[in-house]
Amino acid sequence: METGNAVDWFVDRHARQGAGDRLAFQDPWRTLTYAGLEDATRRFAGALATAGIERERRLVLLLQDTIDFPVAFWGALRAGVIPVPINTLLTPDTVRYILSDSRAVGAVVSEPLVKGLGEVLAGLRHIIVSRPAGDSGSGLSAFLARGDPATPTVDAMGDEVAFWLYSSGSTGAPKGVKHLHASLRVTAQTYGAGVLGIQADDVMFSAAKAFHAYGLGNSLTFPQSVGASSVFLPDRPTPEAVLGVMERANPTLFGGVPTLYAALLANPFIRPGAGSSRLRCCISAGEALPEDIGLRWKSLVGADILDGIGSTEMLHIFISNRHDDVRYGSSGKPVPGYEAMILGEHDRPVPNGEPGELVVRGESAAEGYWNQRDKTRRTFRGSWTYTGDTYIRDAEGYYRFQGRSDEMLKVGGVWVSPFEVEEALIAHPAVLEAAVIGRQDRDGLVKPKAFVILTETAQDQDVSELLPALQRHVKDRIGVWKYPRWIEVVDQLPKTATGKIQRFRLREV
């Protein structure tokens, strides 16, 4: 495992090698070179020491995607302080829980978020406000001014905890996931180099936010591993906002989630390159990408989407499609440096084509959960990480998502994947999004029930005719026993703050 503080390799190395004037980041208000990033992060580390925030104390980052995010993240690592990026869309109660659970001594908070969290933040000793549009000598700019630009970097071992990320908490309270300094470089050298093939002249735009493990790799570690640049969008990644950035910044690489790709395809202004004349590749994670969305995106936009599966616990994507090996409808094959297995009962590997729990091992695995020994033991077993996802591996070695292990349905004695039914529904031109759960019929037997969001052009159709047509469509596509016995049209689906569908909430309807 690599040794040393990760900030040296991702930040300082570029100036030492004569690339300090290369652009590292841009947001709507500013740009920052690698030399400027080194200066700002040294000042941030020095200011932490001046404020009395000691090594190994936790500092929550409640930041929108602006240049202040990498300054605070890398600045904390330089000081040996543990940055804890958290989702900017969390409820005040969840933020309160994380602040208490992590025992944070302070927080760096984007100004638009402060008002709604005033009471929640009141108990912290240090609150640093980010005002990237204009600071007027207060907030983070004043904090940086108190830091010494010659602040040294603390020594750290590669297997020393560097930062925490909180799981999305889709089925319970969020869990603090402890990650190591070396893990950042591992993901950059496995997925960033080995799959994405990122180069120094690339420009990365990740609509997935940097507080999330997926977005952190996209926006920070992958570009910074080769001296490339990233463009930030601080606002919600609506199709209109995303297409605006694509047109203005002309990125070569784009990272999104399946829901966003579906919404972009439904936007009337989508066109080749999605607005960027230089777009060469897109990536997707967070949830499995339906085959139809991938095929339509490739046909219309002209760039492949490399879908993959990653997790907060593994830090980034560990199974993925490749530039020269795209199999839509699958998560691809293990990323070089990772091993995967599918286990059935009694933790025994299952044959190809049979469902089981996906387990993976690789050097980016987290140390464990904070103060959650039982859950740590369930997830991290020796060198293997148990994902909680049900997969099959087909005869050609491609891994195909079936659903969360606790969401699989047994219909007529046969396992049915909710995702497979959802994918079939989304392939119909009238359906924008879909979620499938199990519901008991009059005989107490479990059958699929679907909740769908219709496309704008389908919203005027006669539902009494459309819904049977959707059922026939599913029967024809994946099998007569898998079709949803009930279909409910909804305006929105319950999701976590990272965009994952909360099917357990649909079961409460």
Side-chain angles (χ1 to χ4, degrees), residues 11 20 38 70 107 112-113 133 154 186 231 234 239 251 254 310 325 346 374 376 384 414 445 506:
V11 180
E38 179 177 357
L113 308 176
V154 302
V186 167
V231 56
F254 174 67
D325 188 13
H346 310 299
D374 287 345
T376 294
W384 293 94
V414 179
L445 301 174
L506 293 171

Side-chain angles (χ1 to χ4, degrees), residues 65 69 85-87 165-166 168 208-218 257 285-286 311-312 315-316 498 500:
D65 274 20
F69 188 103
I86 66 174
N87 196 315
L165 296 171
Y166 269 82
S168 60
K209 300 300 184 180
F211 61 71
H212 187 260
Y214 173 48
L216 184 70
N218 294 350
V257 296
S311 69
T312 305
L315 190 55
H316 210 272
T498 53
K500 295 181 181 180

Side-chain angles (χ1 to χ4, degrees), residues 27 78 94 160 183 187 259 295 303 308:
D27 65 24
R78 191 183 293 281
T94 304
E160 182 174 331
S183 296
T187 59
T259 300
L295 291 172

